[in-house]
Amino acid sequence: MRAVHDEFHGDLMEVSMGPHHPSTHGVFRMNVVLDGERIVKLKPVFGYLHRNHEKLGEGMTWLASMPFTDRLDYLCAMTNNWAYALAVERLTGLQPPERAEYIRVVLAELTRLLNHTCLAGFLLQDTGAMGTPLMYAFREREKILDLFEALSGSRMMCNYQRFGGCRVDVSPAWLAAARKVVDAYPRFLDEFEALVTGNEIVMARTQGVGRVAPELAVAAGVTGPMLRACGVDYDIRKVDGYGLYPRFHFRVPLGDHGDTYDRYMIRVLEMRESIGILKQAIDGIPDGPILDPKAKGRGLRPPAGEAYGRIEGPKGEIGFFLVSDGTPNPSRYRVRAPSFVNLTILEDMCLGHTVADAVVILGSIDIVLGEVDR
Amino acid sequence: MSDATTTTITEEQRAELRRHGILLTSLQELYNWGRSNSVWPLQFGLACCAIEMIAASMARFDIARFGSEVFRPSPRQADLLIVSGTVTKKMAPQVVRLWNQMPEPKYCIAMGACAISGGPFKQGYNVLKGIDRYIPVDVYVPGCPPRPEALLHGLMKLQEKIRAQPLAGPDAPRHLRADDPCVYPVPECGATDLEPPFNPEVWKPPTLVRDDA
Amino acid sequence: MTTPSLEQIRDRILAAVPAAEASLVNNPGPAAQHSLLIDRAHLVEVARFLRDDPELRLDYCSNVTGIDQPEREVVDKVRRKVPAPDGSGEREVEEKVKRIEPGFLEVVYHLFSMARKHGPVVLRVRTGDRAGDASVPSLTPVWRACEFQEREVFDLFGIVFTGHPNLRRILMWDAFVGHPMRKDYVEPDDYEWEPTPHDAVLERVKARQAVASTPEEGPTT
């Protein structure tokens, strides 16, 4: 913290928020210049969790990177796995069987539920509702984690997808359990929304805070719920139609104002759409193999070439850019992390607001530092 | 307060007395009992393990049963530093600084493989290979990430350790001894690595013995 | 909506920016995501055209990344006619010819269109010099999305983006020397010996200590 003198504003205060700060969702740091309580400048500082994911990925085999992708966005291991598997499948030409694609959709949508639920809890924690909303959110999270654990053996770090399919098959009992969780989810959402959505304090803290113009969002490469909260209709599930998403009926909710409240509402609405997809997928899952017979785990050597594979993760477009030179290791392994790019417009969103609002705005971007810094 | 009072009467005898409504205790026991059941952790998350740390404090696992639910945002009010996640070289000076800012008595749990040794990211150029190179660690909780139950077990182990601490003599905890430092040197980010690469007072590189040498 | 083919895009670029050099880089793998190699001098002009062209409208720059390709030895199979040893005309033989392919640093941009929902169009730009003048023009003025990603490429690969508004290290600390994602980066010594991949590190430490000739406590065998 230090005083800064500015010809125009007079005496300003520069405050370093983070890397240890209770509301920065990890080890994120913002250098904020304040005029009184108003933010006149904000510079994010990254790298406090830069664990060299890409460098390590280039030093190990293709399959060995799969468990590392779990740790990118540690709330959404399944979607990270899928994005990586998808990129390698593009690179090698493998084709997952239909059952595997269904399982992937189920797991990805469960992950979306999990991520958005946690985000809602954390966002309310940031507005000052300490404890209670997060307790509700984590209660639901545990139910989904139980499903992941039953299937993959691990709560958070699932390491489940394989190139050309999945690692283990789902059992009818697992599907029944998943269906039970999915069926109970709307009740939780209703309960949560009754507490939060119409709450006057929540509305006062979030409406009109951190507005983003759609033009700016598109230019800055913002993706995911943040982009759709600005009213831009761009959902990779619809645009690319990867996996089997074209088979499922769902709508893409869009916001009007691009403010923090819209970003919260978009996530709630997306969860309701995800529940619809889950019901269709769990009911329609066909029998069959779960792995492409040509698939190879260890000793995979994709032909020389490169591929960019992307999916609609819960936070936005998560993409993997892979270059192979025909050896057992990737020669370039790059992760396009959604929350890293989404942070580009953090300063634009926060200017003119108070410090307390910056905390809420940051919460609504939904960052995970494992992915921002990689 | 001396050791003699605690050794003259056995656990069975005391349990028998307790059954008759007589509570015998020593100042040391009372003091440690109070300390061990109000360990306030610092609300400090680094990476994946932090999510499991939060989960441990939530409804299902409920760390409040052990008196540690009061996660403090400020190091000045905390007793326990849970290093939950990968410590990078860029972050290590801040972790040591937080440790220095905590008042004694203070304890440290290294949660997860990364905090213990660098874990899966050990070979990264920006990853510290274990936080015990800079600050003394009381309990190591292995796992990647450890389950919340494992963290609870680690906390119970810490409580056992606190309860066993004598209040006088050479084995007394740091805050009761004048000679032991409670402030550790903060490393600086150098050209490629941290300077110094470790704190020789708490950690020394292992002596390497190779068969082929 | 389908993406126009890269040949069409290249022709449109050459029609709009006649001075630009745009060549197709073929991607032999099954992904068949071919790319366009643009020369450094006209990159910004080409990018602005791609963004504003009503048919392409590549308004969304998704991914920016660097690639370090060190100098490598390539073996080409060449068919050559040699006179047969018995003098009866010529005979075709296959020879392996080794050549050194120079290394380069490269920046790759993955462009999509949110307006017309197509993509990806992959742009590449190369700097031949890995040591000195590794600089390319910044595309941050065209797409804001490049701002942090170009800083990351600068930090990890050492490619200088001229025209970037705030080109500083982003992931490593400011005093850090070197660019870790380059293939020839030497990591700091690891003071823990383990049986497998760390042996090379130990050899390096030993060599360095032998040079320093003042063995202190630490990694010795």
Side-chain angles (χ1 to χ4, degrees):
Chain A
M1 193 184 284
R2 67 189 171 96
V4 189
H5 189 77
D6 183 295
E7 289 296 322
F8 183 67
H9 293 94
D11 285 332
L12 302 175
M13 183 72 85
E14 185 179 329
V15 182
S16 172
M17 284 175 76
H20 163 66
H21 190 279
S23 66
T24 52
H25 296 226
V27 284
F28 182 65
R29 179 173 154 202
M30 302 185 274
N31 274 346
V32 193
V33 180
L34 298 173
D35 178 12
E37 220 184 332
R38 301 270 153 206
I39 295 170
V40 294
K41 197 175 163 193
L42 185 148
K43 290 290 168 218
V45 183
F46 304 89
Y48 291 98
L49 196 57
H50 177 47
R51 348 183 235 197
N52 330 122
H53 185 94
E54 293 179 5
K55 185 81 176 176
L56 293 175
E58 288 172 17
M60 59 180 76
T61 58
W62 295 86
L63 185 60
S65 287
M66 184 61 86
F68 281 80
T69 61
D70 294 335
R71 286 151 182 87
L72 272 175
D73 173 357
Y74 33 77
L75 285 169
C76 318
M78 289 291 190
T79 47
N80 298 344
N81 282 179
W82 191 359
Y84 180 49
L86 187 86
V88 175
E89 281 155 15
R90 294 251 166 94
L91 197 62
T92 52
L94 291 170
Q95 186 62 47
E98 198 179 355
R99 185 175 172 86
E101 295 276 27
Y102 267 86
I103 297 173
R104 285 179 174 186
V105 169
V106 170
L107 294 173
E109 295 307 319
L110 281 174
T111 307
R112 202 178 310 277
L113 285 181
L114 178 140
N115 179 73
H116 289 354
T117 309
C118 289
L119 170 99
F122 282 123
L123 180 63
L124 287 159
Q125 175 112 339
D126 289 339
T127 58
M130 299 298 281
T132 315
L134 200 57
M135 288 269 187
Y136 279 85
F138 268 65
R139 185 189 67 192
E140 296 308 309
R141 174 181 181 262
E142 293 290 343
K143 291 177 188 163
I144 297 177
L145 289 190
D146 283 349
L147 292 176
F148 286 175
E149 190 180 1
L151 185 60
S152 74
S154 175
R155 280 157 57 84
M156 283 171 74
M157 307 302 173
C158 304
N159 182 18
Y160 180 71
Q161 314 287 1
R162 286 292 176 267
F163 312 133
C166 304
R167 181 156 57 90
V168 284
D169 204 352
V170 296
S171 64
W174 188 90
L175 285 173
R179 180 73 208 220
K180 216 173 138 195
V181 171
V182 170
D183 286 341
Y185 225 86
R187 220 180 121 238
F188 156 72
L189 281 179
D190 294 342
E191 183 189 19
F192 196 80
E193 278 209 85
L195 283 171
V196 174
T197 303
N199 186 305
E200 264 182 53
I201 302 173
V202 171
M203 294 208 281
R205 284 299 306 277
T206 54
Q207 286 186 343
V209 172
R211 290 181 90 134
V212 186
E215 300 77 30
L216 176 68
V218 171
V222 171
T223 44
M226 249 187 97
L227 177 74
R228 293 190 286 275
C230 312
V232 181
D233 180 13
Y234 195 77
D235 187 321
I236 298 168
R237 290 177 292 178
K238 292 276 189 198
V239 175
D240 280 13
Y242 64 94
L244 291 179
Y245 275 112
R247 279 195 201 178
F248 300 110
H249 298 288
F250 63 101
R251 292 171 299 169
V252 179
L254 297 178
D256 292 329
H257 308 97
D259 59 1
T260 305
Y261 188 78
D262 276 14
R263 286 194 282 276
Y264 158 72
M265 271 318 289
I266 286 287
R267 279 161 178 131
V268 174
L269 295 173
E270 269 190 16
M271 279 196 266
R272 294 198 186 273
E273 294 301 322
S274 286
I275 292 168
I277 300 174
L278 277 166
K279 285 179 179 167
Q280 296 170 43
I282 293 175
D283 291 347
I285 190 163
D287 286 333
I290 54 158
L291 202 60
D292 186 330
K294 292 196 293 293
K296 227 169 137 187
R298 294 189 172 81
L300 175 76
R301 287 174 180 229
E306 62 176 49
Y308 181 70
R310 58 174 194 164
I311 68 165
E312 178 75 32
K315 295 179 167 62
E317 172 185 330
I318 171 146
F320 282 78
F321 174 59
L322 306 167
V323 183
S324 166
D325 52 3
T327 57
N329 296 357
S331 87
R332 179 80 181 100
Y333 171 90
R334 150 85 182 168
V335 186
R336 191 267 185 208
S339 40
F340 178 61
V341 183
N342 287 359
L343 278 173
T344 310
I345 54 167
L346 177 65
E347 183 175 17
D348 306 63
M349 291 158 80
C350 290
L351 287 185
H353 288 296
T354 59
V355 184
D357 286 339
V359 167
V360 180
I361 292 169
L362 183 70
S364 74
I365 297 179
D366 193 8
I367 58 168
V368 157
L369 265 296
E371 184 180 76
V372 173
D373 292 341
R374 275 153 289 136
Chain B
M1 183 164 164
S2 71
D3 288 1
T5 47
T6 53
T7 47
T8 46
I9 184 163
T10 64
E11 271 303 314
E12 291 83 39
Q13 287 168 325
R14 277 206 284 173
E16 185 62 31
L17 284 171
R18 211 178 294 138
R19 214 168 297 131
H20 294 292
I22 299 164
L23 184 68
L24 274 189
T25 186
S26 64
L27 183 59
Q28 171 179 316
E29 210 174 309
L30 196 64
Y31 179 72
N32 284 343
W33 170 79
R35 285 197 308 134
S36 67
N37 285 313
S38 63
V39 180
W40 289 7
L42 180 65
Q43 188 182 344
F44 174 58
L46 280 168
C48 332
C49 293
I51 305 293
E52 289 297 66
M53 185 177 78
I54 296 169
S57 70
M58 288 296 148
R60 182 183 283 193
F61 299 100
D62 196 12
I63 205 169
R65 292 175 293 156
F66 304 91
S68 293
E69 79 277 24
V70 198
F71 277 84
R72 294 281 89 182
S74 163
R76 302 285 183 200
Q77 302 161 346
D79 310 313
L80 171 62
L81 179 69
I82 302 178
V83 184
S84 53
T86 318
V87 187
T88 61
K89 287 176 184 167
K90 194 171 178 178
M91 190 63 199
Q94 275 78 329
V95 178
V96 179
R97 197 166 286 134
L98 282 171
W99 173 255
N100 287 345
Q101 286 171 351
M102 285 165 60
E104 289 281 6
K106 57 188 173 186
Y107 303 94
C108 177
I109 291 182
M111 182 185 181
C114 293
I116 294 171
S117 71
F121 301 97
K122 189 185 182 82
Q123 290 170 42
Y125 50 86
N126 191 27
V127 177
L128 185 71
K129 291 159 192 72
I131 190 59
D132 54 1
R133 294 179 175 219
Y134 288 105
I135 58 178
V137 175
D138 293 283
V139 179
Y140 297 86
V141 182
C144 188
R147 295 178 58 94
E149 295 97 319
L151 180 64
L152 296 183
H153 185 240
L155 180 69
M156 285 154 72
K157 285 283 164 202
L158 180 70
Q159 289 177 331
E160 275 174 33
K161 184 173 178 172
I162 294 173
R163 284 196 200 109
Q165 280 180 332
L167 297 191
D171 296 332
R174 271 190 311 272
H175 68 285
L176 296 176
R177 289 207 316 262
D179 57 326
D180 217 18
C182 60
V183 172
Y184 291 83
V186 179
E188 279 178 18
C189 292
T192 54
D193 205 343
L194 288 169
E195 301 289 340
F198 55 88
N199 177 6
E201 279 185 31
V202 295
W203 190 83
K204 284 201 171 54
T207 315
L208 302 176
V209 182
R210 298 177 73 195
D211 302 336
D212 55 335
Chain C
M1 198 168 293
T2 50
T3 319
S5 77
L6 268 189
E7 285 83 3
Q8 291 168 343
I9 295 176
R10 184 192 56 190
D11 294 341
R12 289 182 70 87
I13 289 173
L14 293 179
V17 191
E21 291 167 35
S23 52
L24 291 181
V25 179
N26 199 36
N27 177 3
Q33 291 171 346
H34 309 298
S35 48
L36 277 174
L37 181 67
I38 312 284
D39 67 316
R40 281 195 272 174
H42 299 92
L43 179 68
V44 179
E45 239 175 299
V46 169
R48 201 160 270 144
F49 165 74
L50 291 175
R51 185 191 64 182
D52 297 335
D53 182 49
E55 203 164 301
L56 294 171
R57 285 290 297 283
L58 296 164
D59 50 3
Y60 166 43
C61 178
S62 163
N63 181 37
V64 182
T65 186
I67 291 180
D68 178 16
Q69 180 64 63
E71 194 175 83
R72 61 179 170 178
E73 206 178 70
V74 187
V75 180
D76 291 331
K77 282 181 186 164
V78 181
R79 289 191 162 273
R80 197 156 65 95
K81 285 193 172 140
V82 288
D86 54 358
S88 58
E90 283 186 327
R91 191 165 66 100
E92 207 173 19
V93 290
E94 198 177 76
E95 278 188 352
K96 286 183 177 171
V97 179
K98 285 183 186 172
R99 65 186 166 86
I100 302 290
E101 198 173 272
F104 55 82
L105 284 166
E106 186 177 60
V107 186
V108 184
Y109 298 86
H110 284 84
L111 309 177
F112 291 86
S113 171
M114 282 193 187
R116 303 182 73 87
K117 301 210 176 11
H118 61 73
V121 175
V122 190
L123 283 194
R124 324 177 86 91
V125 56
R126 269 180 203 172
T127 105
D129 193 348
R130 294 181 78 248
D133 169 44
S135 75
V136 297
S138 167
L139 291 189
T140 306
V142 186
W143 292 288
R144 254 310 275 292
C146 301
E147 187 179 340
F148 288 165
Q149 302 193 65
E150 284 185 343
R151 269 178 75 185
E152 188 190 325
V153 173
F154 164 72
D155 186 355
L156 302 182
F157 288 90
I159 301 174
V160 177
F161 290 88
T162 47
H164 192 284
N166 183 18
L167 196 66
R168 287 183 298 125
R169 282 192 182 272
I170 188 167
L171 293 177
M172 304 307 287
W173 55 88
D174 286 335
F176 189 79
V177 177
H179 302 288
M181 281 299 289
R182 287 198 183 182
K183 299 281 185 192
D184 52 2
Y185 177 73
V186 181
E187 288 171 32
D189 294 334
D190 178 0
Y191 285 87
E192 266 174 79
W193 177 68
E194 282 180 7
T196 38
H198 287 241
D199 277 25
V201 178
L202 191 75
E203 295 303 323
R204 229 165 54 213
V205 176
K206 271 161 77 177
R208 203 165 295 180
Q209 285 189 337
V211 171
S213 78
T214 47
E216 290 173 16
E217 66 169 338
T220 47
T221 45

